[in-house]
Amino acid sequence: IYGLSNGDVYKLTTLFDYDGKGCGHDTGYEDYPYIYWPNITFSTSYKEISKRTICVKFCPTTTTTLGSTDCKTNSIVSDCTTAAATNYDSKLYLKKFCVPDTSSASSSSTYEDFYNAVMDDWGGNYLTAYMADLYICWWVMIVCAVLAFLFGFVYMLFIKCCGKLLVWFTILFGFVVLL
């Protein structure tokens, strides 16, 4: 409860570029909700991969490339138009990542290797699927918790009002079952 009232819950689901700016969350970055890796070179470490991330307005493809106002630069990537020179087809993943579209005609083994490295570094397909489910249905869990609390409170009131009757009914029912 303290974290909800004094913290920022959205920071748990926000991706950050190399400079630590929250894509879609920090001031000036509200219109850039997705994270994108320009100039992909295959690496097995997410630390190396994350050095080249930028926040973008949309996931670029070979037909819709990034313009100068379509991304936010950082200390590693200084120009969006030259940073996206590789122009691979990307697709949106978990409403946050622009990952290579491995089914695209422009896809190569480098992009497939990069895609697999990102999936492995983010916990593989199972963990990301679980996190995606939590991200999508967080409100259902909150509603269920509130309903459980309310039903528990109603049950306690019922026990307070009808406790004697419930005890005698249970004793009588126990005798009937034993016969």
Side-chain angles (χ1 to χ4, degrees):
I1 294 175
Y2 177 80
L4 286 174
S5 61
N6 295 320
D8 190 356
V9 177
Y10 290 106
K11 284 192 176 182
L12 294 173
T13 59
T14 299
L15 295 177
F16 296 90
D17 72 352
Y18 182 72
D19 292 338
K21 301 294 184 181
C23 295
H25 186 70
D26 283 358
T27 305
Y29 285 75
E30 296 90 354
D31 295 334
Y32 305 92
Y34 311 120
I35 199 155
Y36 175 69
W37 290 270
N39 293 330
I40 289 179
T41 56
F42 177 69
S43 174
T44 57
S45 168
Y46 184 73
K47 289 181 181 179
E48 291 179 35
I49 295 170
S50 67
K51 289 180 182 178
R52 299 287 179 206
T53 58
I54 55 175
C55 299
V56 295
K57 287 184 178 181
F58 60 90
C59 292
T61 63
T62 53
T63 56
T64 57
T65 59
L66 292 174
S68 59
T69 60
D70 294 329
C71 80
K72 290 296 263 187
T73 59
N74 56 28
S75 60
I76 300 294
V77 177
S78 59
D79 184 17
C80 294
T81 55
T82 58
T86 54
N87 285 335
Y88 60 90
D89 285 336
S90 62
K91 64 180 179 180
L92 191 58
Y93 182 69
L94 292 180
K95 299 181 183 179
K96 297 285 181 182
F97 298 94
C98 292
V99 295
D101 185 0
T102 55
S103 64
S104 168
S106 68
S107 182
S108 69
S109 63
T110 301
Y111 299 136
E112 290 178 23
D113 291 342
F114 175 79
Y115 177 83
N116 292 332
V118 171
M119 293 301 124
D120 288 343
D121 283 339
W122 278 89
N125 291 330
Y126 295 115
L127 180 61
T128 52
Y130 296 146
M131 294 303 291
D133 290 343
L134 289 174
Y135 180 73
I136 291 169
C137 68
W138 63 270
W139 62 274
V140 173
M141 292 183 283
I142 291 174
V143 168
C144 288
V146 169
L147 286 175
F149 178 77
L150 290 176
F151 284 135
F153 187 72
V154 169
Y155 181 72
M156 286 188 337
L157 288 176
F158 173 74
I159 294 296
K160 183 179 179 182
C161 296
C162 305
K164 288 181 184 179
L165 180 64
L166 187 62
V167 170
W168 282 110
F169 178 73
T170 304
I171 293 171
L172 181 63
F173 183 72
F175 282 133
V176 170
V177 169
L178 290 176
L179 292 176

